[in-house]
């Protein structure tokens, strides 16, 4: 067991209350590593100033780490390029613009507009900032929404200032708008920090109370639909690259022959999420435009394309079989409905959950499409974000609502509908009245049967003959007993003739007469 000891550092000359006795070092209290310290030992909660300083340090660390990662990517690309000179100045000069591009700040390279920026660096920067903010909240034990606001604001402002400065002091041939750089960097950092501290600082619980159980369930179910749609887009991109492998390899050989293909491959990987979003727009029916080139399941218009390996997978003509791709988002909707089938006992509430999830999917698709498109020199790459959002909402929420309504429980719903239906209420009242009448008739019959049974018992008691007690002894034994014990004479009851078929009394008349004629004994002579 690893222990930590709190030891006093200045012991001489202190009072006994300080924990020191003479010049000896006093051990205050051992605490096990990882355990919760006792009262008086735990560190006080961080103040607002301490939280701001810690968040600022974390934000600067995230910025520095992102800048070093951008420099590493630039070095790898230059290492694979032919006749490229690798120097610290060249790497540092290009790392800043790449850091801005990772925060989705449009750049200009020698007057060439680069608005189609890779999404993979943006995703990585977002995850890095969210992870750092979440770690800060855990270390400082932040648990209030006010603490989350300080962390979010500090990280957002730090990225805003650094992004604006980098955009303003970018050296040629790169250029960027300072206002756009500051706004984009600050917004992404603030959203990432919000994601990181949402659970620990109570923002998730607050959102759950605001939205209710149905809205919160819809937010959670939307993740399943988004993951399934991303998987479908990635599968379509992989299939297109596999079918166009020859064209893709030719593009690699044309742009970067020999070892230079490694840097080009790295650039293609950075743009891979963009291709996934474009494929998702294709399967939803919205399609995309690359200059004069139009690609959608309904029509394909060919034209000149930039020599880039990912663009080599674009089709040159369409086919009717592409309409089968429209079934993919419907499958995502069926999966969403199956997930929401037990979200609530009532079908109406389940449909509400599906509606919230569909709205979240549509909003996420709109943002992704807006970030994917942009200008690329004299041409442009565009995805109709509004059309994609509406199409995905219809394809996903429609089948999901049907599945959630049909596949979920319906017992309680049927009861509620019967209670609300006046005809059903009248039928239930009529049935209850009939049951009550039947019960009354049954009770009356039971009372009559009880009276008849009582009369039968009384008749049986009256008809039962009263039999005399027959003696159980022999004649000799009865005579001896009569001789020994002669009680006072009792009135002789009239003999009752025995019933027909029974034998007469076994005591003879002579013995009975003799016993009656004997004088009674005086008391006390025995």
């Amino acid at each position: 067991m690893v222990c930590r000891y709190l030891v006093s550092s200045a012991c001489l000359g202190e009072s006994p209350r300080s924990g020191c006795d003479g010049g000896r070092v006093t051990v205050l209290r051992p605490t096990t590593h990882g355990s919760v310290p006792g009262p008086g030992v735990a560190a006080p909660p961080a103040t607002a100033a301490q939280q701001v300083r810690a968040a600022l340090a974390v934000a600067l660390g995230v910025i520095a780490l992102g800048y070093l990662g951008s420099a590493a990517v630039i070095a790898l690309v230059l290492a694979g390029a032919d006749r490229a000179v690798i120097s610290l100045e060249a790497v540092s000069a290009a790392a800043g613009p790449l850091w801005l591009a990772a925060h989705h700040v449009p750049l200009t390279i020698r007057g060439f507009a680069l608005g189609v920026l890779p999404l993979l660096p943006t995703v990585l920067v977002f995850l890095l900032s969210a992870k750092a903010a979440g770690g800060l909240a855990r270390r400082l034990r932040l648990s209030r929404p006010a603490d989350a606001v300080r962390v979010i604001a500090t990280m957002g402002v730090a990225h805003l200032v650094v992004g604006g400065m980098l955009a303003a002091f970018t050296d040629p041939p790169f250029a960027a708008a300072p206002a756009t750089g500051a706004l984009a960097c600050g917004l992404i950092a603030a959203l990432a920090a919000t994601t990181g501290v949402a659970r620990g600082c109570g923002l998730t619980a607050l959102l759950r109370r605001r939205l209710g159980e149905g809205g919160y369930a819809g937010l959670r179910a939307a993740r399943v639909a988004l993951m399934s749609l991303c998987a479908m887009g990635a599968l379509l991109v992989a299939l297109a690259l596999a079918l166009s492998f020859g064209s893709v390899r030719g593009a690699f050989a044309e742009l970067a022959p020999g070892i230079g293909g490694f840097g080009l491959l790295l650039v293609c990987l950075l743009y891979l999420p963009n291709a996934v979003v474009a494929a998702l727009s294709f399967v939803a029916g919205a399609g995309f435009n690359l200059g004069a080139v139009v690609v959608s399941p309904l029509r394909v218009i060919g034209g000149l394309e930039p020599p880039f390996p990912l663009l080599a997978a674009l089709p040159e003509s369409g086919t009717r079989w592409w309409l089968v791709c429209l079934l993919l988002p419907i499958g995502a909707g069926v999966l969403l409905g199956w997930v929401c089938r037990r979200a609530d006992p009532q079908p109406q509430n389940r449909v509400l959950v599906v509606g919230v999830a569909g709205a979240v999917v549509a909003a996420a698709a709109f943002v992704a499409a807006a970030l994917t498109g942009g200008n690329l020199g004299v041409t442009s790459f565009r995805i109709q974000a509004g059309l994609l959002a509406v199409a995905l909402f219809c394809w996903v929420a429609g089948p999901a609502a049907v599945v959630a309504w049909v596949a979920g429980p319906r017992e309680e719903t049927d009861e509620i509908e019967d209670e609300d239906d006046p005809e059903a209420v009248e039928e239930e009242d009529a049935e209850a009245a009939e049951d009550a009448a039947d019960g009354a008739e049954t009770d009356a019959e039971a009372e009559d049967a009880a009276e008849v049974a009582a009369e039968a018992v009384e008749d049986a008691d009256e008809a039962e003959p009263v039999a005399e007690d027959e003696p159980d002894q022999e004649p000799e034994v009865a005579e001896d007993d009569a001789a020994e014990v002669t009680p006072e004479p009792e009135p002789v009851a009239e003999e009752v003739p025995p019933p027909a078929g029974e034998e007469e009394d076994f005591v003879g008349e002579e013995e009975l007469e003799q016993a009656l004629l004997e004088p009674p004994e005086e008391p006390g002579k025995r």
Side-chain angles (χ1 to χ4, degrees):
M1 183 183 297
V2 181
C3 298
R4 294 178 301 178
Y5 295 93
L6 303 176
V7 183
S8 60
S9 58
C11 297
L12 295 176
E14 295 183 359
S15 62
R17 292 183 181 180
S18 62
C20 300
D21 186 7
R24 295 178 297 174
V25 177
T26 303
V27 177
L28 297 182
R29 179 177 294 179
T31 59
T32 305
H33 178 70
S35 63
V36 179
V41 179
T47 62
Q50 291 175 345
Q51 294 176 12
V52 171
R53 288 197 297 268
L56 181 59
V58 169
L60 294 178
V62 170
I63 292 172
L65 188 58
Y67 188 86
L68 292 177
S70 301
V73 172
I74 293 298
L76 289 175
V77 173
L78 292 178
D82 295 337
R83 298 183 302 273
V85 179
I86 302 177
S87 63
L88 183 59
E89 295 180 358
V91 172
S92 61
L98 183 58
W99 186 87
L100 292 174
H103 289 79
H104 234 75
V105 179
L107 301 175
T108 301
I109 305 175
R110 292 189 177 93
F112 183 84
L114 182 60
V116 184
L117 301 172
L119 286 179
L120 184 59
T122 305
V123 174
L124 295 179
V125 166
F126 187 92
L127 295 178
L128 178 62
S129 299
K131 186 69 175 179
L136 174 64
R138 287 191 297 270
R139 286 194 301 271
L140 297 182
R141 296 189 297 275
L142 305 181
S143 58
R144 298 177 302 173
D147 302 334
V149 171
R150 296 188 189 97
V151 174
I152 295 168
T154 303
M155 294 189 66
V157 170
H159 281 76
L160 184 145
V161 173
V162 174
M165 293 177 61
L166 279 178
F169 295 101
T170 299
D171 297 330
F174 301 99
T180 305
L183 182 60
C185 295
L187 183 60
I188 290 178
L191 291 176
T194 303
T195 305
V197 301
R199 185 178 296 274
C201 294
L203 297 182
T204 303
L206 180 61
L207 181 64
R208 187 171 186 173
R209 289 194 298 269
R210 296 291 185 182
L211 296 179
E213 294 296 333
Y216 187 73
L219 289 178
R220 297 184 61 183
R223 296 182 301 178
V224 178
L226 288 174
M227 292 177 62
S228 61
L229 291 173
C230 291
M232 294 173 186
L235 179 62
L236 187 61
V237 169
L239 182 60
L241 291 175
L243 295 177
S244 306
F245 181 74
S247 301
V248 174
R249 185 176 58 181
F252 269 100
E254 180 181 356
L255 290 178
I259 195 173
F262 176 76
L264 185 59
L265 176 62
L266 183 59
V267 174
C268 291
L269 292 177
L270 296 180
Y271 277 97
L272 198 57
N274 300 59
V276 172
V277 176
L280 180 59
S281 180
F282 176 82
V283 298
F288 55 89
N289 301 339
L290 181 60
V293 178
V294 179
V295 179
S296 70
L298 302 178
R299 62 171 183 166
V300 174
I301 300 177
L304 296 177
E305 303 169 1
F308 191 68
L310 289 180
L311 298 179
L314 294 180
E316 297 180 357
S317 60
T319 177
R320 295 180 180 178
W321 291 103
W322 285 359
L323 296 177
V324 180
C325 296
L326 298 177
L327 298 177
L328 295 178
I330 295 177
V334 172
L335 179 60
L336 176 62
W338 185 257
V339 171
C340 299
R341 73 188 188 280
R342 299 189 183 278
D344 195 272
Q346 299 183 6
Q348 296 85 350
N349 295 338
R350 293 198 297 270
V351 173
L352 177 62
V353 172
V354 169
V356 173
V360 173
V361 170
F366 182 88
V367 174
L371 294 177
T372 302
N375 296 325
L376 189 61
V378 295
T379 185
S380 63
F381 178 73
R382 290 285 184 265
I383 296 177
Q384 299 182 14
L387 181 59
L388 175 61
V390 173
L392 282 182
F393 182 83
C394 296
W395 290 123
V396 173
V402 175
V403 173
W405 184 285
V406 175
R410 297 180 57 86
E411 290 78 4
E412 298 183 4
T413 305
D414 295 340
E415 294 178 0
I416 294 174
E417 291 179 355
D418 292 342
E419 292 178 359
D420 296 338
D421 190 2
E423 297 181 358
V425 173
E426 293 178 358
E427 292 179 359
E428 290 182 357
D429 294 341
E431 292 178 358
E434 292 179 0
D435 294 339
D438 295 341
E441 294 177 359
T442 304
D443 295 339
E445 293 177 357
E447 292 178 0
D448 296 340
E451 293 178 359
V452 172
E455 294 177 358
V457 171
E458 291 177 0
D459 296 340
D461 293 339
E462 293 175 357
E464 183 178 0
V466 179
E468 291 183 353
D469 293 334
E470 297 181 356
D472 296 336
Q473 297 178 347
E474 297 293 332
E476 293 82 4
V477 178
E479 186 177 357
D480 296 339
D481 293 340
E484 292 178 359
V485 180
T486 56
E488 293 181 0
E490 296 178 0
V492 180
E494 297 180 357
E495 294 183 2
V496 179
E502 294 186 2
E503 296 181 357
E504 295 182 357
D505 191 3
F506 56 83
V507 180
E509 295 180 358
E510 297 179 357
E511 289 83 355
L512 180 60
E513 184 179 358
Q514 183 179 358
L516 293 176
L517 293 176
E518 288 181 1
E521 294 182 0
E522 296 180 2
K525 289 184 177 183
R526 177 180 289 184

